[in-house]
Amino acid sequence: MIRWRFIFRQINSSRKQALIFILCVSLSLLTLVSLGGFSNSVRQSMLKDARQLHAADIMIHTHYPASNTLLEIVNRYKSEGLAEAVLVHEFYSMARNTGREKSLLSELKVVEKGYPFYGTVVLKSGLDFSKILQAGRIIVEQNVLDRLQADIGDRLQIGSTELTIVDVVVSEPDRPVSFFSFGPRIFIAADDLEKIDLIKKGSRIHYNYLLKIHNQDMVDTLADELSDVAIEVQERVNTFRTAESGVKRFFENFLFFLNLIGIFTLLLAGIGIQAALYTLLRESNYTIAIMKSLGAGSAYIFLHFTVMIMLLGTVGTVLGLFFSYLLQLYFPVLFTGILPAHVTLTIAWDVVFEGLVLGTVVVGLFSYLPMRRLRNVKPALIFRKEVEATRNDLPHYASITLTILFFIGLAVWQLEDVKTGIYFVLGLLGLVAFTAIVTQVLLMLMKKRSPRLLTLRQAFRGLFRPKNATRSIIITLSASLAVIFSIYIIEQNLQSTFIQSYPPELPNAYFLDIQPSQKQEFSNILGEEPQYYPIIRARLTSINDRRINRKEERQRRRDNLAREFNLTYRDFLLDDERITEGNNLFGDLDQNSLGNGELPVSVLDFVAEIGDIKIGDLLVFNVQGIPLQARVVSMRTRTASRVRPFFYFVFPEKTLKDAPQTIFSAVKIDRQRLTMMQNRLAEQLPNVSVIDIGKTIEVLARIIQKLSSIIQFFTLFSIIAGLLIIISSVFATKLARIREAVYFKILGAGQGFVLQVFTYENLIVALICALQAGIISHVGSWAVCRWIFDVPYKPLPVATGIMILSTILLVITVGLSASLSILRQKPIGYLRDEGQE
Amino acid sequence: MSTNELEAQKISKSYTIDDRQIKVLDDISLLVSKGEVVVIEGKSGSGKSTLLSLLSGLDRPDSGKVIVNDRDITHLSEDELAPYRNRTIGYVFQSFHLVPSLTALENIMFPAELNNDPEAMEKAEGLLNRVELIDRKNNFPHQLSGGEKQRVAICRALVNSPQIVFADEPTGNLDSANGEIILNLLLELRSELDTTLLLATHSREISNLADRIVLLADGRIESYTDKVPE
């Protein structure tokens, strides 16, 4: 029978530790559940507003004008009154303010009357979009006005004509305005498409045919009919329900990363749960010993403490769910600018249920080892204040294995990626294990040291005070600080490399969509002969007769094989390329090894890894509807910076030089000349787009900073776990600390002495945490900068110093605040209490 | 069945302190009959408390046997010992050892509740009445004086009407007036419940009331005295 009164009395007598335990449980759920709930809300909103998100019922997307068969069916739908249809062209081009001699790469959206079928394009004037956007007029994003120093009523040169700015777009249904883009938005009426004359052979144009179906029940049937005649690979037909949205994809990728942080917080909070529970149960040791001396059996005690833990765990879980909901309310502010507006926050009961299950499992897993210690509390403890050490037996190791498996399972479930899940958890455990080993070694060394300074010596001893959770504190704080430091250091390194000092030898301007016939004129404008990279746009359809599964490919988090590739031709290696397999690019090619109609191709190792492509494999590409067979004859790798142009598939010049192509060039050019170039190109070669890498990187940097601040926000919760363990540890050792303080005072020490001892103690803990976190984060960040981003590493000594000082300040403040009542303790009060006992 | 209720056969016990082994009891043998009042006397550190903890099954000897009611309890597991501690013995400690989170009444009820006694509360209240503490029944241990705590502890030891009561220096933490009250109370209740009593003390006053005195010195029995002369 369960004695509830005993359980409540026990909770009441250890209420501070119980509160810390509850907070650790709620903390463990906070990130994962709040993100889960928020993601659910966004998904629901997106699903609810899916028509708005795509502005239509059916969307046909292609990079070429739609095939005749497809157009015939669309026209039939229109004539039969089944549907309305509009064509939207999207592409990049230069916009030029002729009056100010300023040019800007912009994202043009040329729309027919009727766009959008769902949702609205909100204009600054508040007027109706369809009435405002007429031939000869354009509607622009505020950024266009700012950067071109233009006003409403000014005329901008776009392609071969000049158009008048009539309004500013505030939001459009199918793209958040502040989402990353190479250039700000300009809306153009379809009537002006011919006049601007920017659609050239091989240009990168998105053709979007949007259909509004009058009978909603027919959406899927009509979409199926369109899919059946669409050219495979080239023309993609989707309904608002099946379409992938870029926003959704970005959001899910970002949540994927935040979920990693959530799992990290869960692990550290788990350590917190365990530390708090060890302390809570240690406080109960005396009671347990008395109970046993009065005849209570292990089962009775285990049952009651299990019920107690379950009660506290439930409170913690419910509190965690409540905090998660509160936190979600703040998310729209936190995620401002990277998520679609008007996300309605809903309570997802499946997420709440998942949270409850997760809370129960976490409490169960992390409580098992502390609960096992109950067995070792013997009644004789009331005579001798010692507990037999636990021997690490099979159930002990089984529990640790189960915990690791749980985390791997959780990571795989959350990330929906087995390989990443396992690597992530193993990496995480590696980090925790590393900090645990270093901490253990440092503490062992300190235990043997006896500093001369009395206060410091007492502080050293204090670290090993029974019940002090020194090791848990250092491990959790070091690991969480290491992650926060790393994110900051990497972000700063990326900023300093690309923003403050963009590598001088690298190209800073990319020129796209140069027509082969414009090469000479382009060189003349540039005043030099740049390196030209021909681009033939194609899709990969099969590898060794194995068709590319486009749906599966699009699920990949990194690059995927379903997208359109830029093929190129040349007979030489670039400066930053090296052959890894094959004798050289194509030089030793044995024509006999190629089948009829097959072309040799050199493949970059990165894409080869994605598609498991090997030398000798047969790749089939689709170039504007024409199949192209290619046999892999060499593999290449890149040896230098990633901001240089690179190509996955390289063909010999003679094989592709006559294919439909555009030309791309990347040059290093000073800013003043670049502005001049932009203006001249806008005037003479208006179809050529210029990407100013400097400006683009500035935009990217702002986004990186925003994302990094969100990540740091979530990582903060793992630091709280560490701080909770500090508070728990101070509470747990309160009696011992009071005794020390009283003895010091009886022997003539002042309050200052006691304060100094406690300060040193916290300082030592803080220093170990900060230094460990500093070293781990620098090594980790260096590796990331060196091998992933390929940028020079700057150790940021000032920032590192500030981070170390902040850690010290934080730990000392929290540690001393929890000890205030101890410092104020009068010796006589303690002695009187002690005497009575 | 023999008349011996409790028997210690050559029991020894050592503790390790800072890598040093200290022998606290060495080769102790003892027979206690039903209803006897046995006082274990000795100086501080002579091993009195250790002997009581071994005889009561709260601790385990390194060697030798403890037999209660013809049953060897030496090698019983913790769970096998639990009912023995609950029903067969009662223990009064020098430092009271009341559960700090429970009230006086709840502390007394606790062993009876463990024994699933439906009259736990009535018995506990009856005992509290008997020791004149009924008005303090809802007080927590820290709200009671030393003498009150010990009276509660005695009630708790007796609530299941155990065969044997062990009392380890029950007056050691009390002033003489309170000590006398406690001692009288203990003896009265023992007599009322016909319980065997083993008392560890260094007080001559208590020894005067014993049927038998066992004198311990340096972990060994120095002498037995069957009846203390008046």
Side-chain angles (χ1 to χ4, degrees), chain A residues 607-626:
Chain A
V607 74
E609 196 185 309
I610 298 173
D612 196 20
I613 300 170
K614 295 180 183 62
I615 292 269
D617 283 355
L618 180 69
L619 312 181
V620 179
F621 292 93
N622 178 317
V623 183
Q624 296 193 15
I626 299 160

Side-chain angles (χ1 to χ4, degrees), chain A residues 474-665:
Chain A
I474 296 177
I475 292 169
T476 41
L477 276 182
S478 302
S480 50
L481 287 168
V483 172
I484 291 196
F485 285 8
S486 302
I487 292 167
Y488 180 76
I489 294 170
I490 293 167
E491 182 211 322
Q492 288 298 310
N493 266 282
L494 288 176
Q495 295 253 12
S496 76
T497 303
F498 292 119
I499 313 301
Q500 292 148 19
S501 58
Y502 184 73
E505 73 283 5
L506 294 179
N508 64 342
Y510 286 5
F511 299 91
L512 285 78
D513 288 346
I514 305 168
Q515 296 294 307
S517 58
Q518 295 172 328
K519 264 167 78 173
Q520 190 52 51
E521 196 175 351
F522 180 82
S523 298
N524 291 343
I525 295 170
L526 187 66
E528 60 182 278
E529 188 73 15
Q531 165 87 56
Y532 288 112
Y533 304 91
I535 289 173
I536 295 112
R537 286 166 37 236
R539 286 184 191 275
L540 184 62
T541 53
S542 69
I543 302 170
N544 292 335
D545 295 331
R546 196 181 70 241
R547 292 198 69 77
I548 301 296
N549 184 333
R550 314 206 92 75
K551 202 171 173 190
E552 264 180 31
E553 283 297 324
R554 287 199 183 94
Q555 303 297 318
R556 284 186 196 268
R557 296 201 181 275
R558 294 197 299 171
D559 208 346
N560 70 77
L561 302 178
R563 72 172 178 86
E564 196 171 55
F565 288 109
N566 293 323
L567 314 184
T568 192
Y569 58 80
R570 58 180 145 85
D571 295 328
F572 52 89
L573 282 171
L574 298 178
D575 291 347
D576 63 345
E577 285 182 333
R578 181 167 60 80
I579 294 287
T580 53
E581 278 183 71
N583 293 331
N584 56 39
L585 205 53
F586 319 105
D588 296 344
L589 184 65
D590 175 6
Q591 289 298 332
N592 296 329
S593 64
L594 297 175
N596 193 21
E598 288 175 8
L599 304 180
V601 64
S602 172
V603 178
L604 196 69
D605 55 356
F606 182 73
V607 74
E609 196 185 309
I610 298 173
D612 196 20
I613 300 170
K614 295 180 183 62
I615 292 269
D617 283 355
L618 180 69
L619 312 181
V620 179
F621 292 93
N622 178 317
V623 183
Q624 296 193 15
I626 299 160
L628 184 154
Q629 294 190 319
R631 186 70 67 179
V632 181
V633 294
S634 73
M635 291 280 179
R636 288 165 296 126
T637 192
R638 303 186 63 229
T639 56
S641 171
R642 281 169 190 256
V643 285
R644 285 180 189 278
F646 62 94
F647 292 88
Y648 287 164
F649 304 100
V650 178
F651 290 78
E653 183 171 353
K654 62 180 178 188
T655 60
L656 281 190
K657 68 176 180 203
D658 296 325
Q661 59 192 267
T662 61
I663 290 167
F664 162 78
S665 186

Side-chain angles (χ1 to χ4, degrees), chain A residues 3 5 9 286 298 384, chain B residues 59 79 97 101 106 113:
Chain A
R3 314 276 167 196
R5 199 176 38 214
R9 290 258 196 264
Y286 175 61
S298 295
R384 306 187 305 277
Chain B
D59 209 350
D79 280 347
H97 293 312
S101 58
E106 288 163 354
E113 285 183 316

Side-chain angles (χ1 to χ4, degrees), chain A residues 256-274:
Chain A
F256 171 89
F257 190 74
L258 290 181
N259 274 335
L260 298 181
I261 304 283
I263 296 169
F264 176 69
T265 309
L266 179 72
L267 177 69
L268 294 189
I271 298 174
I273 288 173
Q274 208 162 58

